[in-house]
Amino acid sequence: MKNIIRAPLKIFFSWIFREEINDLYYSITEHRILKKQYEKELSNITSQESPVNILFRNWADDYFKEYLLNTELSVQVVVEEMRNENPFLKYCTLKTFKENLKNYCLKKGFVLNPYYKTQPDGRILKTISGKVTEMIYIQTLK
């Protein structure tokens, strides 16, 4: 008789505790994910800059003078000049170049490729000598 009464109670309480354990598991998992995201953001803010970023910033400070700002420049020409100028930046990929240029513009207070000049994909494309060329435009806020 005891076993008959205990079985439904045991099932009932195991179901309640299972739900609580699942909720606890998901909240702990969510907490861990949020903690990892927070630590990643914090490390991005407090981390030392890589040598490539420092070299790029130094090159960009010398390269982007007032007469090259607020004008459209060919990405290929700028990347080639960067690679020729500094042998350590010789193997900088186009993706790395764009990321470094974006960070450089943010730190300097410039706008890279303002929305009114770009296509929906965020790029500026021009036809030069019958060839489609990607351009960059660095706008100062003066």
Side-chain angles (χ1 to χ4, degrees):
M1 187 70 165
K2 282 184 175 181
N3 291 339
I4 296 173
I5 295 175
R6 283 188 178 176
L9 290 175
K10 187 176 181 182
I11 292 170
F12 175 74
F13 283 113
S14 67
W15 177 77
I16 289 176
F17 289 124
R18 188 178 331 124
E19 290 295 319
E20 288 180 4
I21 289 172
N22 285 341
D23 291 345
L24 181 63
Y25 172 77
Y26 287 121
S27 65
I28 289 172
T29 305
E30 185 178 86
H31 174 73
R32 287 181 181 159
I33 291 170
L34 292 174
K35 184 179 177 186
K36 285 181 183 177
Q37 289 175 351
Y38 174 75
E39 288 172 351
K40 183 179 176 185
E41 292 296 323
L42 196 60
S43 68
N44 287 342
I45 294 168
T46 60
S47 67
Q48 297 292 331
E49 289 190 55
S50 72
V52 173
N53 292 345
I54 294 170
L55 287 172
F56 181 86
R57 188 179 66 233
N58 292 339
W59 169 81
D61 285 336
D62 291 338
Y63 185 78
F64 292 110
K65 303 292 183 192
E66 290 206 20
Y67 62 91
L68 289 177
L69 298 174
N70 298 317
T71 58
E72 290 182 355
L73 304 168
S74 171
V75 172
Q76 292 176 339
V77 171
V78 174
V79 169
E80 285 301 317
E81 289 181 10
M82 176 198 65
R83 289 176 179 164
N84 293 335
E85 182 75 27
N86 192 331
F88 294 108
L89 295 173
K90 184 176 183 177
Y91 302 106
C92 181
T93 63
L94 188 61
K95 180 181 177 185
T96 307
F97 171 79
K98 288 181 179 180
E99 288 173 2
N100 286 333
L101 186 61
K102 182 179 173 185
N103 291 334
Y104 174 77
C105 290
L106 283 173
K107 287 182 180 179
K108 288 289 190 175
F110 300 150
V111 176
L112 178 64
N113 294 343
Y115 70 91
Y116 60 87
K117 290 206 168 269
T118 60
Q119 295 181 347
D121 63 354
R123 298 185 303 164
I124 302 172
L125 298 176
K126 275 201 161 180
T127 305
I128 300 174
S129 303
K131 184 179 176 186
V132 177
T133 307
E134 185 176 356
M135 310 294 279
I136 58 171
Y137 185 90
I138 299 176
Q139 178 186 14
T140 59
L141 299 175
K142 293 181 181 179

